[in-house]
Amino acid sequence: MPDHRRLGRELELFHADPLSGAGLPLWLPAGAAARHSVEEYVRELERRAGYQHVYSPPLGKRELFELSGHLGYFADDMFPVLRLSADDEFVLRPALCPHHALVYRARGRSYRELPLRIGELGGMYRPERSGVLGGLGRVRAISLNDAHNFCAPEQVGAEVAEVLELIRAAHAALGVRPAGFRLSLRGPGEKYVGDDGMWRRAEELLRAALAGLPYVEAAGEAAFYGPKIDIQVRDAAGRESTLSTIQLDFDKPERFDLSYTDARGRRVRPVMLHRSLIGSMERLFAYLIEVHAGAFPAWYAPVQVRVLPVGPEQVAAAEVFRRDCVSAGLRAELVVDGSLGARIRDAALRRVPYAAVLGAREVSAGEVALRLRDGRGVDPMAAPDALRLIAGVVASHSADLLP
Ligand SMILES: [Zn+2]
């Protein structure tokens, strides 16, 4: 597998500038276009699965993170507190959960609303040491595909199973090949909240959800508030890291005094499930760039179609086809300089899935000839049919360039 930092430079996906700071990469237009498609896809996947999306600020009051336990148990992994004045201190958040707990308790909740799934693709911050930073693999500003699912205790098993199913769907569309499941458990030490009974209950639920799947157990890899299922991927150097997670939390509902009214009018504590289908955009793309060698599935390729007129006489018709592609929701560009052979080679080198060639014969017949980045060619076809073919592949989130 190639190195995502080199490919990220060559394909102009992202840029590291010392003035921006280590671990604070800039997403260039091509990388941003790919990321935008992925964000749109996952938001829609979640919407269909009953998630409601919110926005919350990337920093919050110190007291919020005292209440959540982050300042007590997780301060080493957080930026220092920002102080405006003695009674006005802020924290660059290391996680979105505290804000989502506030969303939950913005009003009273009924059992009829559960599971209540609050989703956000939000920013959070970790002060990683500068020595471990590089490219997108490890960053200090993290854009996380996150959600917190508030469940009645008896709903947790089914909810975990459903999240696993969503993770499978997202991985299939993105071309993620998981390296395995890991059940991350508590280790020795004082850095965990909650009592033994709570941890045992949570572990049992996650073990049941993993029944039938191959997984390893890892002591000491749990979050400070509960055990989790990690879905691992492997990078170019063979290093394993966590992409998707499902974490069980009985602690934050206590700390934030979250409740709902059950069918008999009693006040009951919900269980909080932290889950990420595809992890952070940064780590995800570090992985995707390498696993696809930059040749993303068409649906999130930065440029999906390069339109290549053979000569100056075909430029006008090529521009019409490019505009039609853009109107159909595709990312398309016109390239006129250089020999046709060089332009076809360059399109493939830039990992553009489709080159649409228009010569004199094609233009007079109202056709285009598609060339795929893997070298395959398609017989010339009517321009609207070619457009429909590409738009169809994109809409289906297929990894194949032909239907
Ligand atoms: Zn969380």
Side-chain angles (χ1 to χ4, degrees):
M1 277 209 298
D3 177 4
H4 83 272
R5 280 170 293 199
R6 185 178 56 76
L7 277 170
R9 246 189 332 269
E10 284 173 13
L11 301 174
E12 297 182 81
L13 299 173
F14 63 92
H15 176 64
D17 190 307
L19 260 186
S20 178
L24 298 166
L26 305 165
W27 292 74
L28 299 176
R35 171 174 160 179
H36 191 100
S37 288
V38 169
E39 289 187 8
E40 233 170 36
Y41 161 78
V42 77
R43 198 175 295 127
E44 179 62 12
L45 181 71
E46 289 172 346
R47 190 190 65 78
R48 286 168 192 248
Y51 286 74
Q52 305 179 67
H53 293 99
V54 298
Y55 289 110
S56 57
L59 75 173
K61 274 189 86 74
R62 174 191 188 115
E63 289 80 355
L64 175 61
F65 295 89
E66 272 162 2
L67 180 61
S68 70
H70 282 94
L71 277 170
Y73 290 88
F74 201 69
D76 291 347
D77 293 306
M78 294 168 60
F79 278 97
V81 171
L82 302 161
R83 184 169 222 228
L84 285 182
S85 66
D87 56 356
D88 214 8
E89 294 185 322
F90 294 89
V91 162
L92 270 177
R93 67 177 172 192
L96 278 65
C97 355
H99 282 112
H100 289 186
L102 298 183
V103 168
Y104 180 92
R105 67 176 208 188
R107 65 165 167 81
R109 301 290 178 183
S110 149
Y111 71 97
R112 287 196 192 83
E113 294 177 77
L114 305 186
L116 184 76
R117 306 176 178 102
I118 300 297
E120 179 174 4
L121 206 144
M124 57 185 229
Y125 302 86
R126 303 268 171 101
E128 303 277 3
R129 285 170 297 107
S130 56
V132 302
L133 300 172
L136 296 176
R138 218 130 179 222
V139 294
R140 287 172 165 167
I142 299 161
S143 317
L144 187 68
N145 156 251
D146 202 7
H148 296 91
N149 303 6
F150 301 88
C151 312
E154 66 274 15
Q155 292 173 328
V156 172
E159 189 65 11
V160 171
E162 212 179 306
V163 171
L164 280 171
E165 200 42 54
L166 284 175
I167 289 173
R168 248 190 298 276
H171 284 183
L174 288 161
V176 171
R177 297 195 277 273
F181 295 90
R182 187 175 79 181
L183 179 60
S184 293
L185 303 169
R186 197 162 49 145
E190 299 294 306
K191 51 182 181 164
Y192 303 99
V193 299
D195 57 46
D196 290 350
M198 178 207 101
W199 280 84
R200 259 200 309 277
R201 247 172 81 215
E203 277 173 37
E204 271 165 32
L205 280 164
L206 292 184
R207 253 184 246 282
L210 284 170
L213 293 170
Y215 67 93
V216 297
E217 298 192 0
E221 295 290 337
F224 72 84
Y225 46 77
K228 58 190 177 121
I229 295 173
D230 292 322
I231 293 106
Q232 305 294 100
V233 294
R234 220 168 261 133
D235 73 4
R239 279 181 306 242
E240 239 187 49
S241 64
T242 301
L243 195 63
S244 316
T245 62
I246 310 175
Q247 318 182 358
L248 266 184
D249 187 352
F250 294 93
D251 180 62
K252 266 178 216 69
E254 288 287 335
R255 288 171 177 268
F256 283 88
D257 192 24
L258 305 183
S259 68
Y260 64 92
T261 311
D262 75 4
R264 289 194 235 154
R266 289 173 309 196
R267 211 170 153 257
V268 183
R269 193 76 72 215
V271 179
M272 191 169 175
L273 219 121
H274 310 243
R275 49 104 283 191
S276 180
L277 301 183
I278 53 175
S280 72
M281 292 302 109
E282 291 79 15
R283 187 174 284 175
L284 174 71
F285 269 91
Y287 170 81
L288 291 176
I289 291 168
E290 291 182 357
V291 81
H292 294 299
F296 299 140
W299 68 271
Y300 63 94
V303 174
Q304 294 158 323
V305 190
R306 263 203 185 171
V307 188
L308 310 177
V310 171
E313 302 78 31
Q314 287 87 42
V315 169
E319 174 56 17
V320 168
F321 185 69
R322 186 198 67 82
R323 268 207 301 267
D324 288 347
C325 287
V326 171
S327 297
L330 298 171
R331 293 181 288 272
E333 61 188 26
L334 184 72
V335 178
V336 295
D337 289 335
S339 75
L340 180 65
R343 281 180 285 154
I344 289 175
R345 272 195 305 280
D346 187 60
L349 211 63
R350 308 289 299 181
R351 307 331 192 242
V352 177
Y354 304 95
V357 179
L358 289 92
R361 207 168 11 151
E362 282 83 17
V363 170
S364 66
E367 295 181 333
V368 302
L370 294 182
R371 294 286 301 260
L372 311 188
R373 69 181 163 208
D374 58 16
R376 283 181 291 170
V378 182
D379 287 337
M381 61 174 94
D385 291 342
L387 204 157
R388 253 194 303 276
L389 181 152
I390 298 169
V393 169
V394 166
S396 68
H397 300 108
S398 164
D400 249 315
L401 297 184
L402 291 176

